[in-house]
Amino acid sequence: MASFGRHGGQGLPAELLASGGPELAGLRMAVTAGVSVVLAFTIISTWWCLAPLTGGLAFWQRRLRLLLSRRVASLDEDHFATEKEGEVAEFPSLSALADDKIVLSVVLLACDEEARLPVMLDDAIAYLQHRQLTQASFGFEIIVVDNASHDFTASAATRFVHKYGANVVRILRLRYRHDDGAAIRKGVLRTRGKYILVAGAEGFVRLSEYDRLESAMTSLQGEGIVLGSRAHMQLDLRSRGATKVSRMDADSGDAGSANPSPADMTSSTLEHRQGQTSQAPSLACEVAWRIFQVIFQMFCARDIYDPLCPFQLYSRLAAQRVFLRERLDTPAATCERLVLARRFGIPIVERAVQWTSLQECIPPAKISAECARDTLIMVVLRKLNLW
Ligand SMILES: *[C@@H]1O[C@H](CO)[C@@H](O)[C@H](O)[C@H]1NC(C)=O
């Protein structure tokens, strides 16, 4: 046995040497590794590129979880809870006529926002009620779209339903996490108002900025799309970050409060709210954003600078035209909406809004990259008449 082992041990290298030796084996291994890497890269990048069509990995994960989970069955996206205990009512549909009494429907997107949502809602309702006092015909509703939050966002919003009634505040509880585009769409499809405002629950834009969008909408004779825009903040971000100087009208507010109360928010730009902590977005974010912007302007709309700003006003007719037709679920759905709007001749204008976070005035690099990808795919498929 021992001699066999020794023979084997000594014989093998000799054989290998004769047939080209370890170099050849190494080469073979390197080639195999290289081919596998290339193959894996091709598969992954193809998957990533086609994600808007296949839904991506997250889409299938969600499908699977939905199949396996029983809890979700109890959440119903067609109904909302009223202020009465245990009572539910059915959401209306966007394709119906507007409710005469509701001028403005606000669709607020909330995902794990139990801390910021109440602040935003207090501020929003204060503003809207003020509008109602000065203008008797001004009715409003707020639809909080709860993106399957893991925290107590839904209970925070429910307190507002109890306080103001389900005619004013409604909660749409999504059954699973939706991409931004789909979440916005589901909210908008359940509104009653003549005008529909989409906003984020983080409160980067105060609802009183609606005034600016409204006056722009009036100049469009009340039909069209008005985009809130952060483009004015995206100019020379580097120097802004360094000097922490805001170009916006800076009214004096309390600096450095980490946890802003509604009172703080009434008199602050972010530079004030977050004091010294306000930083410019990273270079990677900015580069990705600029690339997206170039692609969007080249293929979709030359004169729109910030299609992704989450503060947008739609007239009901415009909303019906675009939201009932769009297909993308990703954040790039707003780009698709604008492309559709252009096709139907719906006027679009962009208005600067006061955005309170310098750091968040452009989206994360990942979102910009995905939007660039989705926009390109949409453009190509439209050219091929496949979209
Ligand atoms: C909802 O959750 C998904 C998945 O985490 C996220 O990508 C998306 O941005 C969220 N949407 C909103 C409106 O917060």
Side-chain angles (χ1 to χ4, degrees):
M1 287 303 267
S3 75
F4 174 76
R6 208 181 306 130
H7 270 285
Q10 286 167 342
L12 204 58
E15 261 169 38
L16 271 180
L17 274 176
S19 67
E23 285 129 61
L24 197 67
L27 191 69
R28 226 179 273 147
M29 230 156 79
V31 169
T32 318
V35 170
S36 333
V37 167
V38 170
L39 209 66
F41 180 77
T42 316
I43 292 175
I44 292 174
S45 53
T46 313
W47 175 262
W48 188 80
C49 287
L50 294 181
L53 306 179
T54 60
L57 199 60
F59 174 82
W60 295 105
Q61 273 173 353
R62 270 184 241 131
R63 286 291 121 121
L64 196 67
R65 220 174 303 137
L66 209 59
L67 268 180
L68 301 178
S69 150
R70 312 183 81 229
R71 182 190 82 92
V72 291
S74 66
L75 287 177
D76 176 353
E77 293 177 354
D78 293 328
H79 293 84
F80 58 91
T82 68
E83 63 274 20
K84 298 201 193 85
E85 204 55 48
E87 191 186 86
V88 294
E90 198 174 345
F91 275 114
S93 145
L94 179 69
S95 29
L97 285 178
D99 187 321
D100 309 330
K101 295 187 202 76
I102 308 287
V103 172
L104 182 66
S105 291
V106 182
V107 176
L108 269 189
L109 289 185
C111 184
D112 296 338
E113 292 289 354
E114 66 175 1
R116 289 188 286 189
L117 178 70
V119 179
M120 169 75 186
L121 272 177
D122 272 326
D123 184 56
I125 293 178
Y127 163 76
L128 292 167
Q129 285 184 332
H130 174 73
R131 285 290 309 260
Q132 217 164 15
L133 279 182
T134 52
Q135 186 186 341
S137 61
F138 186 89
F140 65 90
E141 67 169 349
I142 297 178
I143 297 183
V144 178
V145 180
D146 173 17
N147 190 13
S149 298
H150 296 315
D151 66 358
F152 290 101
T153 300
S155 354
T158 303
R159 282 205 300 279
F160 284 85
V161 177
H162 287 154
K163 187 164 169 196
Y164 295 100
N167 203 31
V168 174
V169 181
R170 296 178 172 182
I171 309 174
L172 166 61
R173 299 191 66 177
L174 297 176
R175 294 204 284 170
Y176 53 89
R177 297 228 154 178
H178 285 54
D179 244 337
D180 285 18
I184 293 176
R185 178 169 64 244
K186 285 200 168 173
V188 170
L189 290 185
R190 288 158 176 75
T191 54
R192 293 173 288 170
K194 188 166 170 224
Y195 298 111
I196 297 157
L197 178 69
V198 176
E202 318 87 5
F204 288 137
V205 184
R206 296 190 55 218
L207 212 79
S208 48
E209 294 295 292
Y210 168 66
D211 283 347
R212 298 182 198 217
L213 302 197
E214 189 188 34
S215 63
M217 185 61 92
T218 312
S219 70
L220 296 179
Q221 271 82 45
E223 280 301 343
I225 300 177
V226 184
L227 303 173
S229 176
R230 304 163 288 187
H232 60 293
M233 290 194 65
Q234 294 162 355
L235 305 167
D236 35 280
L237 279 171
R238 306 284 109 215
S239 59
R240 276 160 181 274
T243 57
K244 299 192 183 75
V245 171
S246 163
R247 281 204 185 169
M248 304 168 106
D249 41 328
D251 36 9
S252 57
D254 231 83
S257 136
N259 211 348
S261 72
D264 285 342
M265 287 185 67
T266 47
S267 61
S268 63
T269 66
L270 172 102
E271 275 77 9
H272 290 122
R273 201 166 97 197
Q274 296 194 342
Q276 303 309 309
T277 62
S278 174
Q279 279 178 356
S282 73
L283 190 62
C285 291
E286 199 183 342
V287 169
W289 174 247
R290 299 293 175 205
I291 292 174
F292 162 73
Q293 234 179 8
V294 167
I295 290 176
F296 180 80
Q297 293 192 329
M298 212 145 82
F299 297 110
C300 299
R302 202 165 287 279
D303 50 344
I304 294 174
Y305 290 87
D306 187 7
L308 298 185
C309 178
F311 197 76
Q312 308 181 335
L313 183 67
Y314 297 83
S315 69
R316 194 170 183 88
L317 191 65
Q320 286 168 344
R321 291 249 173 98
V322 298
F323 280 96
L324 294 173
R325 283 190 178 82
E326 67 176 20
R327 300 196 198 171
L328 277 176
D329 284 344
T330 54
T334 38
C335 305
E336 186 185 3
R337 264 168 235 149
L338 299 180
V339 168
L340 284 170
R342 278 279 148 91
R343 194 170 76 186
F344 293 123
I346 299 171
I348 305 170
V349 294
E350 206 177 0
R351 276 285 178 284
V353 289
Q354 190 151 331
W355 180 267
T356 56
S357 167
L358 183 58
Q359 186 153 28
E360 317 261 351
C361 77
I362 54 180
K366 181 170 166 277
I367 302 277
S368 301
E370 282 177 5
C371 287
R373 170 198 71 189
D374 297 353
T375 307
L376 277 178
I377 289 185
M378 176 179 68
V379 167
V380 170
L381 290 185
R382 283 176 63 86
K383 283 262 183 305
L384 299 174
N385 269 333
L386 292 174
W387 193 274

